[in-house]
Coordinates of all heavy atoms in Angstrom, one line a residue:
M1 N -41.6 -80.9 -38.2 CA -40.3 -80.8 -38.9 C -40.4 -81.6 -40.2 O -40.9 -82.6 -40.3 CB -39.2 -81.6 -38.0 CG -37.9 -81.6 -38.5 SD -36.7 -82.2 -37.2 CE -35.4 -82.5 -38.2
I2 N -39.6 -81.1 -41.3 CA -39.6 -81.7 -42.5 C -38.2 -82.1 -42.9 O -37.2 -81.5 -42.5 CB -40.1 -80.6 -43.5 CG1 -40.2 -81.2 -45.0 CG2 -39.2 -79.3 -43.6 CD1 -41.0 -80.2 -45.9
S3 N -38.2 -83.3 -43.5 CA -36.9 -83.8 -44.0 C -36.7 -83.3 -45.4 O -37.4 -82.5 -45.8 CB -37.0 -85.4 -43.9 OG -37.9 -85.8 -44.8
T4 N -35.6 -83.9 -46.1 CA -35.4 -83.5 -47.4 C -36.1 -84.4 -48.4 O -36.5 -85.5 -48.1 CB -33.9 -83.6 -47.7 OG1 -33.5 -84.9 -47.5 CG2 -33.1 -82.6 -46.7
W5 N -36.2 -84.0 -49.6 CA -36.9 -84.7 -50.8 C -36.1 -86.0 -51.0 O -34.8 -85.9 -51.0 CB -36.9 -83.8 -52.0 CG -38.0 -82.9 -52.0 CD1 -38.0 -81.5 -51.6 CD2 -39.5 -83.1 -52.1 NE1 -39.2 -81.0 -51.6 CE2 -40.2 -81.8 -51.9 CE3 -40.3 -84.3 -52.3 CZ2 -41.6 -81.8 -52.1 CZ3 -41.6 -84.2 -52.5 CH2 -42.4 -82.9 -52.4
S6 N -36.7 -86.9 -51.3 CA -36.1 -88.2 -51.9 C -35.5 -87.9 -53.3 O -35.9 -86.9 -54.0 CB -37.0 -89.4 -51.9 OG -38.0 -89.2 -52.8
E7 N -34.9 -88.8 -53.8 CA -34.5 -88.7 -55.4 C -35.7 -89.1 -56.2 O -36.7 -89.7 -55.7 CB -33.3 -89.8 -55.7 CG -32.2 -89.4 -55.1 CD -31.4 -88.1 -55.4 OE1 -31.4 -87.9 -56.6 OE2 -30.9 -87.4 -54.5
W8 N -35.8 -88.6 -57.4 CA -36.9 -89.0 -58.3 C -36.7 -90.5 -58.6 O -35.7 -91.0 -58.9 CB -36.8 -88.2 -59.6 CG -37.2 -86.8 -59.4 CD1 -36.4 -85.8 -59.3 CD2 -38.5 -86.3 -59.3 NE1 -37.2 -84.4 -59.2 CE2 -38.4 -84.8 -59.2 CE3 -39.8 -86.8 -59.3 CZ2 -39.6 -84.0 -59.0 CZ3 -40.9 -86.0 -59.2 CH2 -40.8 -84.6 -59.0
K9 N -37.9 -91.1 -58.7 CA -38.0 -92.6 -58.9 C -39.1 -92.8 -59.8 O -40.1 -92.1 -59.9 CB -38.4 -93.3 -57.6 CG -37.3 -93.2 -56.5 CD -37.8 -93.8 -55.2 CE -36.8 -93.4 -54.1 NZ -37.5 -93.5 -52.7
R10 N -38.9 -93.9 -60.8 CA -40.0 -94.2 -61.7 C -41.2 -94.7 -61.0 O -41.1 -95.5 -60.0 CB -39.5 -95.3 -62.6 CG -40.4 -95.8 -63.7 CD -40.0 -96.9 -64.5 NE -38.8 -96.4 -65.4 CZ -39.1 -95.9 -66.6 NH1 -40.3 -96.1 -67.1 NH2 -38.1 -95.4 -67.3
Y11 N -42.3 -94.3 -61.4 CA -43.7 -94.7 -60.8 C -43.8 -96.1 -61.2 O -43.6 -96.4 -62.4 CB -44.7 -93.8 -61.3 CG -46.0 -93.9 -60.3 CD1 -46.1 -93.2 -59.2 CD2 -47.0 -94.8 -60.7 CE1 -47.2 -93.2 -58.4 CE2 -48.1 -94.9 -60.0 CZ -48.3 -94.1 -58.9 OH -49.4 -94.1 -58.1
P12 N -44.1 -97.0 -60.3 CA -44.3 -98.6 -60.7 C -45.5 -98.7 -61.9 O -46.4 -98.1 -61.8 CB -44.8 -99.1 -59.4 CG -44.5 -98.2 -58.3 CD -44.4 -96.8 -58.9
R13 N -45.2 -99.5 -62.7 CA -46.2 -99.7 -63.8 C -47.0 -101.0 -63.4 O -46.5 -102.0 -62.9 CB -45.5 -100.0 -65.1 CG -44.8 -98.8 -65.6 CD -44.0 -99.0 -66.9 NE -43.3 -97.8 -67.2 CZ -42.9 -97.4 -68.4 NH1 -43.4 -98.1 -69.4 NH2 -42.3 -96.5 -68.6
V14 N -48.3 -101.0 -63.7 CA -49.2 -102.1 -63.4 C -48.8 -103.3 -64.2 O -48.5 -103.3 -65.3 CB -50.6 -101.6 -63.8 CG1 -51.6 -102.7 -63.5 CG2 -51.0 -100.3 -63.0
G15 N -48.9 -104.5 -63.5 CA -48.5 -105.7 -64.1 C -47.2 -106.0 -64.2 O -46.8 -107.1 -64.6
R16 N -46.3 -105.2 -63.7 CA -44.9 -105.6 -63.7 C -44.2 -106.0 -62.4 O -43.1 -106.3 -62.1 CB -44.0 -104.4 -64.2 CG -44.3 -104.2 -65.8 CD -43.1 -103.2 -66.2 NE -43.2 -103.0 -67.7 CZ -42.4 -102.3 -68.4 NH1 -41.5 -101.7 -67.9 NH2 -42.8 -102.2 -69.7
G17 N -45.1 -106.0 -61.3 CA -44.7 -106.4 -60.1 C -43.7 -105.4 -59.4 O -43.0 -105.8 -58.5
E18 N -43.7 -104.1 -59.8 CA -42.8 -103.1 -59.2 C -43.5 -102.5 -58.0 O -44.8 -102.5 -57.9 CB -42.6 -101.9 -60.3 CG -41.9 -102.6 -61.5 CD -41.8 -101.5 -62.6 OE1 -42.5 -100.6 -62.6 OE2 -40.9 -101.7 -63.5
N19 N -42.8 -102.1 -57.0 CA -43.2 -101.5 -55.8 C -42.9 -100.0 -55.6 O -41.9 -99.6 -56.1 CB -42.6 -102.3 -54.6 CG -43.0 -103.6 -54.6 OD1 -44.2 -104.1 -54.8 ND2 -42.1 -104.6 -54.5
L20 N -43.7 -99.4 -54.9 CA -43.5 -98.0 -54.5 C -42.4 -98.0 -53.3 O -42.5 -98.9 -52.5 CB -44.7 -97.2 -53.8 CG -45.7 -96.7 -55.0 CD1 -47.0 -96.5 -54.3 CD2 -45.2 -95.6 -55.7
E21 N -41.5 -97.1 -53.3 CA -40.6 -96.8 -52.2 C -41.0 -95.5 -51.6 O -40.6 -94.4 -52.0 CB -39.2 -96.8 -52.6 CG -38.7 -98.2 -53.2 CD -37.3 -98.2 -53.7 OE1 -36.6 -97.2 -53.2 OE2 -37.0 -98.9 -54.6
A22 N -41.8 -95.5 -50.6 CA -42.4 -94.4 -49.9 C -42.5 -94.5 -48.4 O -42.8 -95.6 -48.1 CB -43.6 -93.8 -50.6
P23 N -42.5 -93.5 -47.6 CA -42.8 -93.6 -46.2 C -44.3 -93.9 -46.0 O -45.1 -93.5 -46.6 CB -42.5 -92.2 -45.7 CG -42.1 -91.3 -46.8 CD -42.2 -92.0 -48.1
I24 N -44.3 -94.8 -44.9 CA -45.7 -95.1 -44.4 C -46.1 -94.2 -43.4 O -46.9 -94.5 -42.4 CB -45.8 -96.5 -44.1 CG1 -44.9 -96.9 -43.0 CG2 -45.7 -97.5 -45.3 CD1 -45.0 -98.3 -42.5
S25 N -45.5 -92.9 -43.4 CA -45.9 -92.0 -42.4 C -46.4 -90.6 -43.1 O -46.4 -90.6 -44.2 CB -44.5 -91.7 -41.6 OG -43.5 -91.3 -42.6
P26 N -46.5 -89.6 -42.3 CA -47.1 -88.4 -42.9 C -46.0 -87.7 -43.8 O -44.8 -88.0 -43.5 CB -47.4 -87.5 -41.7 CG -47.6 -88.4 -40.7 CD -46.7 -89.5 -40.8
G27 N -46.4 -86.9 -44.6 CA -45.4 -86.4 -45.6 C -46.0 -85.8 -46.8 O -47.3 -85.8 -47.0
I28 N -45.2 -85.3 -47.7 CA -45.8 -84.8 -49.0 C -45.1 -85.5 -50.2 O -44.1 -86.2 -50.1 CB -45.4 -83.2 -49.1 CG1 -43.9 -83.0 -48.9 CG2 -46.2 -82.3 -48.2 CD1 -43.6 -81.5 -49.0
Y29 N -45.8 -85.6 -51.2 CA -45.4 -86.3 -52.5 C -45.5 -85.4 -53.7 O -46.3 -84.4 -53.7 CB -46.0 -87.6 -52.6 CG -47.6 -87.3 -52.8 CD1 -48.2 -87.1 -54.1 CD2 -48.4 -87.4 -51.7 CE1 -49.5 -87.1 -54.3 CE2 -49.7 -87.1 -51.8 CZ -50.3 -87.0 -53.2 OH -51.7 -86.7 -53.3
E30 N -44.8 -85.6 -54.8 CA -44.9 -84.9 -56.0 C -44.7 -86.0 -57.1 O -43.8 -86.8 -57.0 CB -43.8 -83.9 -56.1 CG -43.9 -83.0 -57.4 CD -43.0 -81.9 -57.4 OE1 -42.0 -81.8 -56.6 OE2 -43.1 -81.0 -58.1
V31 N -45.6 -86.0 -58.1 CA -45.5 -86.9 -59.2 C -45.4 -86.0 -60.4 O -46.3 -85.0 -60.7 CB -46.7 -87.8 -59.2 CG1 -46.6 -88.7 -60.4 CG2 -46.8 -88.6 -57.9
R32 N -44.6 -86.4 -61.5 CA -44.4 -85.5 -62.6 C -44.4 -86.5 -63.8 O -44.0 -87.7 -63.7 CB -43.3 -84.7 -62.6 CG -41.9 -85.4 -62.6 CD -40.7 -84.5 -62.6 NE -39.5 -85.2 -62.6 CZ -38.3 -84.7 -62.6 NH1 -38.2 -83.5 -62.4 NH2 -37.2 -85.5 -62.7
F33 N -44.5 -86.0 -65.1 CA -44.4 -86.8 -66.2 C -42.9 -86.7 -66.6 O -42.3 -85.6 -66.6 CB -45.2 -86.1 -67.4 CG -46.7 -86.2 -67.1 CD1 -47.4 -85.1 -66.6 CD2 -47.3 -87.3 -67.6 CE1 -48.7 -85.2 -66.5 CE2 -48.8 -87.4 -67.5 CZ -49.4 -86.3 -66.9
A34 N -42.3 -87.8 -66.7 CA -40.9 -88.1 -66.9 C -40.4 -87.3 -68.0 O -39.4 -86.7 -68.0 CB -40.6 -89.5 -67.0
A35 N -41.2 -87.3 -69.2 CA -40.6 -86.8 -70.5 C -40.5 -85.3 -70.4 O -39.7 -84.7 -70.9 CB -41.7 -87.2 -71.6
T36 N -41.6 -84.5 -69.8 CA -41.6 -83.2 -69.7 C -41.4 -82.5 -68.4 O -41.1 -81.4 -68.4 CB -43.1 -82.7 -70.3 OG1 -44.0 -83.2 -69.3 CG2 -43.4 -83.3 -71.6
G37 N -41.5 -83.3 -67.4 CA -41.3 -82.7 -66.0 C -42.5 -81.9 -65.6 O -42.5 -81.3 -64.5
A38 N -43.6 -82.0 -66.4 CA -44.8 -81.3 -66.0 C -45.5 -82.2 -64.8 O -45.4 -83.3 -64.6 CB -45.9 -81.4 -67.1
L39 N -46.1 -81.2 -63.9 CA -46.7 -81.9 -62.7 C -47.9 -82.7 -63.1 O -48.7 -82.3 -63.7 CB -47.2 -80.7 -61.8 CG -47.7 -80.9 -60.4 CD1 -46.5 -81.7 -59.5 CD2 -48.2 -79.7 -59.7
H40 N -48.0 -83.8 -62.4 CA -49.1 -84.8 -62.5 C -49.9 -84.6 -61.2 O -51.1 -84.5 -61.2 CB -48.6 -86.2 -62.6 CG -49.7 -87.2 -62.7 ND1 -50.2 -87.7 -61.6 CD2 -50.4 -87.8 -63.7 CE1 -51.3 -88.6 -62.0 NE2 -51.3 -88.7 -63.2
S41 N -49.3 -84.8 -60.0 CA -49.9 -84.8 -58.8 C -49.0 -84.2 -57.7 O -47.8 -84.4 -57.7 CB -50.4 -86.2 -58.4 OG -51.2 -86.6 -59.3
F42 N -49.6 -83.5 -56.7 CA -48.9 -83.0 -55.5 C -49.9 -83.0 -54.3 O -51.0 -82.7 -54.5 CB -48.5 -81.6 -55.8 CG -47.7 -80.9 -54.7 CD1 -46.4 -81.3 -54.4 CD2 -48.4 -80.1 -53.8 CE1 -45.8 -80.6 -53.2 CE2 -47.8 -79.4 -52.8 CZ -46.5 -79.7 -52.6
G43 N -49.3 -83.5 -53.2 CA -50.2 -83.4 -51.9 C -49.5 -83.8 -50.6 O -48.4 -84.2 -50.7
A44 N -50.3 -83.6 -49.6 CA -49.9 -83.9 -48.3 C -50.7 -85.1 -47.8 O -51.9 -85.2 -48.1 CB -50.0 -82.8 -47.3
A45 N -50.2 -86.1 -47.1 CA -50.9 -87.1 -46.7 C -50.6 -87.7 -45.3 O -49.3 -87.6 -44.9 CB -50.8 -88.3 -47.8
D46 N -51.4 -88.5 -44.7 CA -51.1 -89.1 -43.4 C -50.1 -90.3 -43.7 O -49.3 -90.6 -42.9 CB -52.3 -89.7 -42.7 CG -53.1 -88.6 -42.0 OD1 -52.6 -87.8 -41.5 OD2 -54.4 -88.8 -42.0
N47 N -50.3 -90.9 -44.8 CA -49.5 -92.1 -45.2 C -49.2 -91.9 -46.7 O -49.9 -92.1 -47.6 CB -50.3 -93.5 -45.1 CG -49.6 -94.7 -45.5 OD1 -48.7 -94.7 -46.2 ND2 -49.9 -95.7 -44.7
V48 N -48.0 -91.5 -46.9 CA -47.6 -91.1 -48.2 C -47.6 -92.2 -49.2 O -47.9 -92.2 -50.3 CB -46.1 -90.4 -48.2 CG1 -45.6 -90.2 -49.7 CG2 -46.1 -89.3 -47.4
A49 N -47.1 -93.5 -48.7 CA -47.2 -94.7 -49.6 C -48.5 -95.0 -50.0 O -48.8 -95.3 -51.2 CB -46.4 -95.8 -48.9
Q50 N -49.5 -94.9 -49.2 CA -50.9 -95.3 -49.4 C -51.4 -94.2 -50.5 O -52.1 -94.6 -51.4 CB -51.7 -95.3 -48.2 CG -53.0 -95.7 -48.6 CD -54.0 -95.8 -47.2 OE1 -53.7 -95.0 -46.3 NE2 -54.9 -96.7 -47.2
A51 N -51.1 -92.9 -50.2 CA -51.6 -91.9 -51.2 C -51.0 -92.0 -52.5 O -51.8 -92.0 -53.5 CB -51.2 -90.5 -50.6
L52 N -49.8 -92.4 -52.7 CA -49.2 -92.7 -54.0 C -49.8 -93.9 -54.6 O -50.2 -93.9 -55.8 CB -47.7 -92.9 -54.0 CG -47.0 -91.5 -53.7 CD1 -45.4 -91.9 -53.4 CD2 -47.1 -90.6 -55.0
A53 N -50.1 -94.9 -53.9 CA -50.7 -96.2 -54.4 C -52.1 -95.9 -54.9 O -52.6 -96.6 -55.9 CB -50.7 -97.3 -53.4
L54 N -52.7 -95.0 -54.3 CA -54.3 -94.8 -54.7 C -54.4 -93.7 -55.9 O -55.4 -93.5 -56.4 CB -55.0 -94.4 -53.5 CG -55.2 -95.2 -52.4 CD1 -55.9 -94.7 -51.3 CD2 -55.8 -96.6 -52.9
L55 N -53.3 -93.1 -56.4 CA -53.3 -92.2 -57.4 C -53.6 -92.8 -58.7 O -53.2 -93.9 -59.0 CB -52.0 -91.4 -57.6 CG -51.6 -90.3 -56.7 CD1 -50.1 -89.8 -57.1 CD2 -52.5 -89.2 -56.6
P56 N -54.5 -92.1 -59.4 CA -54.8 -92.8 -60.8 C -53.8 -92.4 -61.8 O -53.6 -91.3 -62.2 CB -56.2 -92.1 -61.2 CG -56.2 -90.7 -60.4 CD -55.4 -91.1 -59.2
A57 N -52.9 -93.4 -62.0 CA -51.7 -93.1 -62.9 C -52.0 -93.2 -64.4 O -51.3 -92.7 -65.2 CB -50.6 -94.1 -62.4
G58 N -53.1 -94.0 -64.6 CA -53.4 -94.3 -66.1 C -55.0 -94.1 -66.3 O -55.7 -93.8 -65.3
S59 N -55.3 -94.1 -67.4 CA -56.8 -94.0 -67.7 C -57.2 -95.4 -68.4 O -56.5 -95.9 -69.0 CB -57.1 -92.8 -68.5 OG -56.5 -93.0 -69.8
K60 N -58.5 -95.6 -68.0 CA -59.2 -96.7 -68.7 C -59.9 -96.4 -69.8 O -60.4 -95.2 -70.1 CB -60.1 -97.5 -67.6 CG -59.2 -98.0 -66.4 CD -60.0 -98.8 -65.5 CE -59.2 -99.3 -64.4 NZ -59.8 -100.1 -63.6
S61 N -60.0 -97.3 -70.7 CA -60.8 -97.1 -72.0 C -62.2 -97.1 -71.6 O -62.8 -97.7 -70.7 CB -60.6 -98.3 -72.9 OG -61.4 -98.2 -73.9
W62 N -63.0 -96.3 -72.4 CA -64.4 -96.1 -72.4 C -65.2 -97.3 -72.9 O -66.4 -97.6 -72.5 CB -64.9 -94.9 -73.0 CG -64.6 -93.6 -72.4 CD1 -63.4 -92.8 -72.4 CD2 -65.4 -92.9 -71.3 NE1 -63.5 -91.8 -71.6 CE2 -64.7 -91.9 -70.9 CE3 -66.6 -93.2 -70.7 CZ2 -65.2 -90.8 -70.0 CZ3 -67.2 -92.3 -69.8 CH2 -66.4 -91.2 -69.3
F63 N -64.5 -98.1 -73.7 CA -65.0 -99.2 -74.3 C -64.4 -100.5 -73.8 O -63.3 -100.6 -73.6 CB -64.7 -99.1 -75.8 CG -65.2 -97.9 -76.5 CD1 -64.2 -96.9 -76.8 CD2 -66.5 -97.6 -76.7 CE1 -64.6 -95.7 -77.3 CE2 -66.9 -96.3 -77.3 CZ -66.0 -95.4 -77.6
S64 N -65.4 -101.4 -73.5 CA -64.9 -102.6 -72.8 C -64.1 -103.6 -73.6 O -63.4 -104.4 -73.1 CB -66.2 -103.4 -72.3 OG -67.0 -103.7 -73.4
R65 N -64.2 -103.3 -75.0 CA -63.4 -104.3 -75.8 C -61.9 -104.0 -75.7 O -61.0 -104.7 -76.1 CB -63.8 -104.2 -77.2 CG -65.1 -104.8 -77.4 CD -65.4 -104.8 -78.9 NE -67.0 -104.5 -78.9 CZ -67.6 -103.8 -79.9 NH1 -67.0 -103.5 -81.0 NH2 -68.9 -103.6 -79.8
R66 N -61.6 -102.7 -75.4 CA -60.1 -102.3 -75.3 C -59.6 -102.5 -74.0 O -60.4 -102.4 -73.0 CB -60.0 -100.8 -75.7 CG -60.3 -100.6 -77.2 CD -60.0 -99.1 -77.4 NE -60.6 -98.5 -78.7 CZ -60.5 -97.4 -79.0 NH1 -60.1 -96.6 -78.3 NH2 -60.9 -97.1 -80.2
G67 N -58.3 -102.7 -73.8 CA -57.6 -102.7 -72.6 C -57.4 -101.3 -72.0 O -57.9 -100.4 -72.6
P68 N -56.8 -101.2 -70.9 CA -56.4 -99.9 -70.3 C -55.6 -99.0 -71.4 O -54.8 -99.7 -72.1 CB -55.7 -100.3 -69.1 CG -55.7 -101.8 -68.9 CD -56.2 -102.3 -70.1
A69 N -55.9 -97.8 -71.3 CA -55.0 -96.9 -72.2 C -53.4 -96.9 -71.7 O -53.1 -97.4 -70.6 CB -55.6 -95.5 -72.1
Q70 N -52.8 -96.5 -72.6 CA -51.2 -96.5 -72.3 C -51.1 -95.7 -71.0 O -51.6 -94.6 -70.8 CB -50.6 -95.8 -73.5 CG -49.1 -95.5 -73.3 CD -48.3 -96.9 -73.4 OE1 -48.8 -97.8 -73.9 NE2 -47.1 -96.9 -72.8
T71 N -50.3 -96.3 -70.1 CA -50.0 -95.6 -68.8 C -48.8 -94.6 -69.0 O -47.9 -94.9 -69.7 CB -49.6 -96.6 -67.8 OG1 -50.6 -97.6 -67.5 CG2 -49.3 -95.9 -66.5
P72 N -48.9 -93.4 -68.6 CA -48.0 -92.3 -68.8 C -46.6 -92.8 -68.0 O -46.8 -93.4 -67.0 CB -48.6 -91.0 -68.3 CG -49.6 -91.4 -67.5 CD -50.1 -92.9 -67.9
D73 N -45.5 -92.3 -68.5 CA -44.2 -92.5 -67.8 C -44.1 -91.4 -66.7 O -44.0 -90.4 -67.0 CB -43.1 -92.5 -68.8 CG -41.8 -93.0 -68.2 OD1 -41.9 -93.7 -67.2 OD2 -40.8 -92.6 -68.8
L74 N -44.3 -91.9 -65.5 CA -44.3 -90.9 -64.4 C -43.1 -91.1 -63.5 O -42.5 -92.3 -63.3 CB -45.5 -91.1 -63.6 CG -47.0 -90.9 -64.3 CD1 -48.0 -91.2 -63.3 CD2 -47.0 -89.4 -64.7
E75 N -42.8 -90.1 -62.8 CA -41.7 -90.3 -61.7 C -42.3 -89.5 -60.5 O -43.2 -88.7 -60.5 CB -40.4 -89.4 -62.1 CG -39.8 -89.9 -63.2 CD -38.6 -89.0 -63.7 OE1 -38.8 -87.8 -63.6 OE2 -37.5 -89.5 -64.2
Y76 N -41.8 -90.0 -59.3 CA -42.2 -89.4 -58.1 C -41.2 -89.2 -57.1 O -40.1 -89.8 -57.1 CB -43.4 -90.3 -57.4 CG -42.9 -91.7 -56.9 CD1 -42.4 -91.9 -55.5 CD2 -42.5 -92.7 -57.6 CE1 -42.0 -93.0 -55.0 CE2 -42.1 -93.9 -57.2 CZ -41.8 -94.0 -55.8 OH -41.2 -95.3 -55.4
R77 N -41.3 -88.3 -56.1 CA -40.5 -88.1 -55.0 C -41.3 -87.9 -53.7 O -42.4 -87.4 -53.9 CB -39.5 -87.0 -55.3 CG -40.0 -85.7 -55.3 CD -38.9 -84.6 -55.6 NE -39.6 -83.2 -55.7 CZ -38.8 -82.2 -55.8 NH1 -37.5 -82.2 -55.6 NH2 -39.4 -80.9 -55.9
T78 N -40.6 -88.1 -52.6 CA -41.5 -87.9 -51.3 C -40.6 -87.1 -50.3 O -39.4 -87.1 -50.5 CB -41.9 -89.3 -50.8 OG1 -40.6 -90.0 -50.5 CG2 -42.6 -90.0 -51.7
C79 N -41.3 -86.7 -49.4 CA -40.6 -86.0 -48.3 C -41.3 -86.3 -47.0 O -42.6 -85.9 -46.8 CB -40.6 -84.4 -48.6 SG -39.7 -83.4 -47.3
A80 N -40.8 -86.9 -46.1 CA -41.4 -87.2 -44.7 C -41.4 -86.1 -43.9 O -40.6 -85.1 -43.8 CB -40.6 -88.4 -44.1
T81 N -42.5 -86.1 -43.0 CA -42.7 -85.0 -42.0 C -43.0 -85.7 -40.7 O -43.4 -86.9 -40.5 CB -43.7 -84.0 -42.3 OG1 -45.0 -84.6 -42.5 CG2 -43.4 -83.2 -43.6
S82 N -43.0 -85.0 -39.6 CA -43.3 -85.6 -38.3 C -44.8 -85.7 -38.0 O -45.2 -86.5 -37.2 CB -42.7 -84.7 -37.1 OG -43.0 -83.5 -37.3
S83 N -45.6 -85.0 -38.7 CA -47.0 -85.0 -38.6 C -47.7 -84.6 -39.9 O -47.2 -84.0 -40.7 CB -47.5 -84.1 -37.4 OG -47.4 -82.7 -37.7
K84 N -49.1 -84.8 -39.9 CA -49.8 -84.4 -41.1 C -50.0 -82.9 -41.0 O -49.9 -82.3 -42.1 CB -51.3 -85.1 -40.8 CG -52.4 -84.6 -41.8 CD -52.2 -85.0 -43.2 CE -53.1 -84.5 -44.1 NZ -54.1 -85.1 -44.7
A85 N -50.0 -82.3 -39.8 CA -50.0 -80.8 -39.9 C -48.8 -80.2 -40.4 O -48.9 -79.2 -41.3 CB -50.3 -80.3 -38.3
D86 N -47.6 -80.8 -40.1 CA -46.4 -80.3 -40.8 C -46.4 -80.5 -42.2 O -45.9 -79.7 -43.0 CB -45.2 -81.0 -40.2 CG -44.9 -80.6 -38.7 OD1 -45.4 -79.5 -38.3 OD2 -44.1 -81.3 -38.1
A87 N -47.0 -81.6 -42.7 CA -47.0 -82.0 -44.1 C -47.9 -80.9 -44.8 O -47.6 -80.4 -46.0 CB -47.5 -83.4 -44.3
K88 N -49.0 -80.7 -44.3 CA -50.0 -79.7 -44.9 C -49.4 -78.4 -44.9 O -49.6 -77.5 -45.9 CB -51.3 -79.6 -44.1 CG -52.3 -78.7 -44.7 CD -53.7 -79.3 -44.7 CE -54.7 -78.2 -45.1 NZ -54.4 -77.5 -46.4
A89 N -48.6 -77.8 -43.9 CA -48.1 -76.5 -43.7 C -47.0 -76.5 -44.9 O -46.8 -75.5 -45.6 CB -47.5 -76.4 -42.4
A90 N -46.1 -77.5 -44.9 CA -45.1 -77.6 -46.0 C -45.7 -77.5 -47.4 O -45.2 -76.7 -48.2 CB -44.1 -78.9 -45.9
A91 N -46.7 -78.2 -47.6 CA -47.4 -78.2 -48.9 C -47.9 -76.9 -49.3 O -47.8 -76.5 -50.4 CB -48.5 -79.3 -49.1
D92 N -48.6 -76.2 -48.3 CA -49.2 -74.8 -48.6 C -48.1 -73.9 -48.8 O -48.3 -73.0 -49.8 CB -50.0 -74.5 -47.3 CG -51.3 -75.3 -47.1 OD1 -51.7 -75.8 -48.1 OD2 -51.8 -75.2 -46.1
R93 N -47.0 -73.9 -48.1 CA -45.8 -73.1 -48.5 C -45.3 -73.3 -49.8 O -45.0 -72.3 -50.6 CB -44.6 -73.3 -47.4 CG -44.7 -72.7 -46.1 CD -43.5 -72.5 -45.3 NE -42.9 -73.9 -45.3 CZ -43.1 -74.8 -44.3 NH1 -44.1 -74.4 -43.5 NH2 -42.4 -75.9 -44.3
M94 N -45.2 -74.6 -50.2 CA -44.7 -74.8 -51.6 C -45.6 -74.3 -52.8 O -45.2 -73.7 -53.8 CB -44.4 -76.3 -51.9 CG -43.3 -76.7 -50.9 SD -43.0 -78.4 -51.2 CE -41.7 -78.8 -50.0
I95 N -47.0 -74.5 -52.5 CA -48.0 -74.0 -53.3 C -47.9 -72.5 -53.4 O -47.9 -72.0 -54.5 CB -49.4 -74.5 -53.0 CG1 -49.4 -76.0 -53.2 CG2 -50.5 -73.7 -53.8 CD1 -50.8 -76.6 -52.6
G96 N -47.7 -71.8 -52.3 CA -47.6 -70.4 -52.3 C -46.3 -69.9 -53.1 O -46.4 -68.9 -53.9
R97 N -45.3 -70.6 -52.9 CA -44.0 -70.2 -53.7 C -44.2 -70.4 -55.2 O -43.8 -69.6 -56.0 CB -42.9 -71.1 -53.2 CG -42.3 -70.6 -51.9 CD -41.0 -71.6 -51.7 NE -40.8 -71.5 -50.2 CZ -40.3 -72.6 -49.6 NH1 -39.8 -73.6 -50.3 NH2 -40.0 -72.5 -48.3
R98 N -44.8 -71.5 -55.5 CA -45.1 -71.7 -56.9 C -46.0 -70.7 -57.6 O -45.8 -70.2 -58.7 CB -45.7 -73.2 -57.1 CG -46.0 -73.5 -58.6 CD -46.4 -75.0 -58.8 NE -45.1 -75.7 -58.8 CZ -45.1 -77.0 -58.4 NH1 -46.2 -77.6 -58.2 NH2 -43.9 -77.6 -58.4
E99 N -47.0 -70.4 -56.8 CA -48.0 -69.3 -57.4 C -47.3 -67.9 -57.5 O -47.5 -67.2 -58.5 CB -49.2 -69.1 -56.4 CG -50.1 -70.4 -56.6 CD -51.2 -70.5 -55.6 OE1 -51.2 -69.6 -54.6 OE2 -52.0 -71.3 -55.6
T100 N -46.4 -67.6 -56.5 CA -45.7 -66.4 -56.6 C -44.7 -66.3 -57.8 O -44.6 -65.3 -58.5 CB -44.9 -66.2 -55.2 OG1 -45.8 -66.1 -54.1 CG2 -44.0 -64.9 -55.3
Y101 N -44.0 -67.4 -58.0 CA -43.2 -67.6 -59.1 C -43.8 -67.3 -60.5 O -43.4 -66.7 -61.3 CB -42.4 -68.9 -59.0 CG -41.6 -69.2 -60.3 CD1 -40.3 -68.4 -60.5 CD2 -42.0 -70.0 -61.4 CE1 -39.6 -68.7 -61.6 CE2 -41.3 -70.1 -62.5 CZ -40.1 -69.6 -62.6 OH -39.3 -69.9 -63.8
L102 N -45.0 -68.1 -60.6 CA -45.8 -68.1 -61.9 C -46.4 -66.7 -62.0 O -46.4 -66.2 -63.1 CB -46.8 -69.1 -61.8 CG -46.3 -70.6 -61.9 CD1 -47.4 -71.6 -61.7 CD2 -45.5 -70.9 -63.3
S103 N -46.8 -66.0 -61.0 CA -47.3 -64.7 -61.2 C -46.3 -63.6 -61.5 O -46.6 -62.8 -62.3 CB -48.1 -64.2 -59.9 OG -47.2 -64.1 -58.9
G104 N -45.2 -63.9 -61.1 CA -44.0 -63.1 -61.5 C -43.4 -63.3 -62.8 O -43.0 -62.4 -63.5
A105 N -43.6 -64.5 -63.3 CA -43.1 -64.9 -64.6 C -44.1 -64.5 -65.8 O -43.8 -64.3 -67.0 CB -42.9 -66.4 -64.7
A106 N -45.4 -64.2 -65.4 CA -46.4 -63.9 -66.5 C -46.3 -62.4 -66.9 O -45.6 -61.5 -66.6 CB -47.8 -64.1 -65.8

């Protein structure tokens, strides 16, 4: 069983002490760039909060003298499910819908 999507929330920025607000249960997540709405990440996970916490939100400099590169302004939303199988099935359906839409728009 799938619940509804949460509201879009600002992705926590490193060093500011901000926290993720996400289920520690199975579900799906979507992360987008706040300025453009372009997709950054999407997936199904056993633990949504952990999956979001492990996402590479920024990039590091190749040169040790520089600090980390500017972290993009991201937003995320989550949707809890009753099991990992439900999360994967819901994610697959959404990917299929997006592909169908994009193929029709081309």
Side-chain angles (χ1 to χ4, degrees):
M1 182 172 166
I2 186 169
S3 65
T4 59
W5 283 101
S6 69
E7 296 295 319
W8 286 102
K9 300 170 188 158
R10 177 182 291 264
Y11 198 86
R13 295 183 187 205
V14 178
R16 290 193 175 183
E18 299 172 343
N19 296 315
L20 281 167
E21 295 177 24
I24 55 171
S25 60
I28 51 180
Y29 62 88
E30 184 175 13
V31 181
R32 69 181 181 183
F33 293 94
T36 63
L39 185 65
H40 177 278
S41 303
F42 175 81
D46 283 325
N47 182 328
V48 177
Q50 183 179 32
L52 284 171
L54 295 175
L55 281 178
S59 60
K60 295 188 179 183
S61 170
W62 286 90
F63 306 103
S64 60
R65 290 183 220 152
R66 294 186 191 171
Q70 178 73 17
T71 304
D73 192 19
L74 301 174
E75 297 176 322
Y76 70 97
R77 66 180 180 165
T78 62
C79 184
T81 60
S82 55
S83 69
K84 170 74 186 252
D86 287 345
K88 179 138 178 46
D92 289 344
R93 278 194 311 273
M94 289 178 189
I95 290 169
R97 284 186 204 153
R98 179 171 282 158
E99 288 172 352
T100 299
Y101 173 77
L102 291 175
S103 68

